[in-house]
Amino acid sequence: MNVAKITAAKADEIRGQEIFGHWYFEPIQDINGNWIVSMHEATHLPINDFEVIEWVAPEMGKEII
């Protein structure tokens, strides 16, 4: 599954901002420490604010950095 990789600064900037209705940006980190949002959330960002990457799910019992 593809997700949108954003910078840590962008994650801090958009965290908690309303996208529409009662839907808010909630960036998370993947197993590699990349800050990501869903592709649907990314449609509400300028195209140059993100890179499309493949989601790497964490393994059960492993701590995310």
Side-chain angles (χ1 to χ4, degrees):
M1 168 175 62
N2 287 336
V3 295
K5 176 183 172 184
I6 59 177
T7 65
K10 179 55 75 175
D12 288 341
E13 177 187 327
I14 66 172
R15 183 175 291 106
Q17 284 188 10
E18 187 174 348
I19 298 171
F20 59 83
H22 295 285
W23 191 351
Y24 300 87
F25 281 111
E26 278 304 325
I28 62 169
Q29 280 186 297
D30 69 7
I31 196 164
N32 296 317
N34 297 313
W35 283 101
I36 59 170
V37 294
S38 70
M39 291 304 297
H40 186 76
E41 289 173 299
T43 63
H44 300 279
L45 295 172
I47 193 75
N48 60 343
D49 279 356
F50 66 92
E51 170 189 351
V52 177
I53 63 170
E54 183 71 21
W55 163 251
V56 179
E59 295 179 34
M60 295 302 289
K62 299 254 179 162
E63 186 175 322
I64 298 178
I65 351 177

